[in-house]
Amino acid sequence: MWLSDGQKIGVALTTFGALFMLLGVMLFFDGALLALGNILFLSGLTLIIGPHKTFYFFARKQKIRGTVCFFGGILLVFFKWPFVGMVVETFGFLNLFGDFFPVIITFLRQIPFVGTFLSLPYIRGFVDRIAGSRTSAV
């Protein structure tokens, strides 16, 4: 891969952050795991794209609602309101990173077994709707 050492560490931190958040949700919204996952996710994202680009990603005018919800949700998790915080944070996450879903779905459709599964008739329509694709299956 063409990643620097710092970016490789960022990918690891982001992965661990996502895993800690998933584990925190699976363990009935454990606040400590969710908070640790949030810190790792943001640290990893900053290492992957750099602090300057991270700031401008979150500070864009068209993404301000997502940014406020995302960071507000993180603060709610820190203030021991994990369920409400994760709901608000998920809304912000979808507003911030929703533009990447079509790219992710296109990538997943090129993976051998996953692509076959995502191309099944009813699943394809559902995934297209989630990703915001406007193409219809023939």
Side-chain angles (χ1 to χ4, degrees):
M1 277 186 110
W2 300 290
L3 296 175
S4 69
D5 289 340
Q7 288 175 323
K8 290 176 186 176
I9 294 170
V11 169
L13 288 176
T14 304
T15 303
F16 280 122
L19 290 174
F20 272 81
M21 283 192 276
L22 179 67
L23 189 61
V25 169
M26 288 174 56
L27 293 175
F28 302 112
F29 295 95
D30 181 44
L33 287 174
L34 293 172
L36 186 59
N38 284 327
I39 292 170
L40 290 172
F41 179 79
L42 288 175
S43 302
L45 185 66
T46 303
L47 283 175
I48 291 171
I49 64 175
H52 191 71
K53 287 183 181 178
T54 302
F55 174 76
Y56 282 114
F57 175 77
F58 285 110
R60 287 190 298 179
K61 187 176 180 179
Q62 63 268 26
K63 300 280 187 179
I64 197 70
R65 181 177 60 173
T67 301
V68 169
C69 288
F70 186 72
F71 286 111
I74 290 174
L75 284 175
L76 285 172
V77 168
F78 286 160
F79 292 142
K80 305 225 185 251
W81 286 65
F83 181 75
V84 176
M86 282 306 295
V87 169
V88 173
E89 186 179 341
T90 301
F91 178 75
F93 183 85
L94 292 175
N95 277 313
L96 283 171
F97 298 102
D99 297 341
F100 298 116
F101 288 156
V103 175
I104 294 168
I105 295 299
T106 303
F107 171 74
L108 289 174
R109 284 191 172 142
Q110 295 175 359
I111 298 174
F113 294 108
V114 177
T116 305
F117 177 75
L118 292 178
S119 296
L120 293 173
Y122 293 107
I123 296 172
R124 180 182 184 102
F126 177 74
V127 170
D128 285 345
R129 196 171 339 130
I130 296 255
S133 298
R134 300 291 184 237
T135 59
S136 60
V138 178

